[in-house]
Amino acid sequence: QVQLVESGGGLVQAGGSLRLSCAASGRTFSRYGMGWFRQGTGKEREFVAAISWSGGSADYADSVKGRFTIYRDNAENTVYLQMNRLKPEDTAVYYCAWRWGGTSRRVDEYTYWGQGTQVAVSS
């Protein structure tokens, strides 16, 4: 079992920044990939960003590329999502997720999920 706890969400004005954190505990193993997804009200959960175990490979949704940065601290078993130049359409509940292996954009390829943290961007 792997437990994931997100933090760092909140309310911010458009153009502002937030940093989300996701702390992993339990049998995290090594060589695991981490991803961030989000789900707006009435919408399906969508891919935001993912990072490989080494941090050498990262992938981003087109909608966030150039604004968001995913990175990780393996010594602390924590992954971060730095979100800059936020837009109202970034408003959603953000989830981190764990998978064995590298990066993936598919929701069904992640085994463990956090409880989510709300991000609200006002115009």
Side-chain angles (χ1 to χ4, degrees), residues 13-34:
Q13 288 188 332
S17 298
L18 283 174
R19 189 183 74 162
L20 305 183
S21 301
C22 174
S25 62
R27 299 186 65 187
T28 55
F29 303 107
S30 60
R31 308 295 175 185
Y32 61 92
M34 295 291 293

Side-chain angles (χ1 to χ4, degrees), residues 29-50:
F29 303 107
S30 60
R31 308 295 175 185
Y32 61 92
M34 295 291 293
W36 285 98
F37 292 75
R38 66 187 181 187
Q39 188 166 16
T41 302
K43 297 182 179 180
E44 293 188 354
R45 193 167 298 190
E46 65 175 2
F47 170 76
V48 175

Side-chain angles (χ1 to χ4, degrees), residues 76-92:
E76 297 294 329
N77 282 334
T78 301
V79 64
Y80 302 93
L81 185 68
Q82 178 66 45
M83 305 186 295
N84 298 328
R85 305 201 307 276
L86 282 161
K87 305 175 180 180
E89 51 263 44
D90 294 319
T91 295

Side-chain angles (χ1 to χ4, degrees), residues 39-107:
Q39 188 166 16
T41 302
K43 297 182 179 180
E44 293 188 354
R45 193 167 298 190
E46 65 175 2
F47 170 76
V48 175
I51 190 167
S52 62
W53 160 254
S54 68
S57 177
D59 186 24
Y60 297 92
D62 288 344
S63 59
V64 307
K65 198 171 293 183
R67 299 188 297 123
F68 292 9
T69 302
I70 186 171
Y71 60 100
R72 63 192 296 167
D73 181 344
N74 287 341
E76 297 294 329
N77 282 334
T78 301
V79 64
Y80 302 93
L81 185 68
Q82 178 66 45
M83 305 186 295
N84 298 328
R85 305 201 307 276
L86 282 161
K87 305 175 180 180
E89 51 263 44
D90 294 319
T91 295
V93 177
Y94 283 71
Y95 299 89
C96 69
W98 181 102
R99 71 183 301 272
W100 181 255
T103 61
S104 173
R105 294 187 170 206
R106 295 174 58 95
V107 171

Side-chain angles (χ1 to χ4, degrees), residues 4 6 37 45 95-98 107-108 110-115:
L4 303 173
E6 301 101 333
F37 292 75
R45 193 167 298 190
Y95 299 89
C96 69
W98 181 102
V107 171
D108 60 359
Y110 286 81
T111 306
Y112 299 104
W113 293 81
Q115 82 288 350

